[in-house]
Amino acid sequence: MTISLDGRRFRAVADVVAGEVGTQTVFAYHERAGEVWAEYAGGSIRRGHLVGTRTGDRLDFRYVQLNTDGQTSSGHCVSEVSVLPDGRVRLHETWSWESRPGSGSSVVEEEVPAP
């Protein structure tokens, strides 16, 4: 069974080396009929958007963002979706910049809903 990402909010578990996503960055995901998209912001990112596709537990998307210094950047990411023991969703991401040098990996996890 595939777990929908629609309406879920995620946060990086650590600051990303060579990237701009950090523990203050929050992603709001949407999903419909194999399409995924999200808005994100926080930390050094003023505004970001991603759009792509989902096949099973694999996401493939492009992202574009504006940082707090006023610089824009874009890149490509492939993520694997998994479920944590407590039922929250984790995304293990492998990404690379397309607008500048650099690549890496990161993990974002679903935020615990407020009571």
Side-chain angles (χ1 to χ4, degrees), residues 57-106:
D57 287 335
R58 183 178 186 270
L59 308 179
D60 189 329
F61 60 82
R62 294 292 194 285
Y63 57 89
V64 61
Q65 61 194 41
L66 173 67
N67 68 20
T68 54
D69 291 332
Q71 300 169 321
T72 60
S73 301
S74 61
H76 175 246
C77 183
V78 174
S79 297
E80 292 297 325
V81 180
S82 62
V83 179
L84 296 166
D86 64 6
R88 292 180 303 126
V89 177
R90 172 185 279 174
L91 304 177
H92 184 270
E93 305 174 326
T94 303
W95 54 270
S96 59
W97 292 111
E98 293 179 330
S99 61
R100 63 185 188 191
S103 61
S105 63
S106 55

Side-chain angles (χ1 to χ4, degrees), residues 27-45:
F27 296 79
Y29 267 79
H30 311 278
E31 180 177 7
R32 186 175 309 121
E35 297 175 4
V36 294
W37 66 99
E39 304 85 32
Y40 59 99
S44 65
I45 299 173

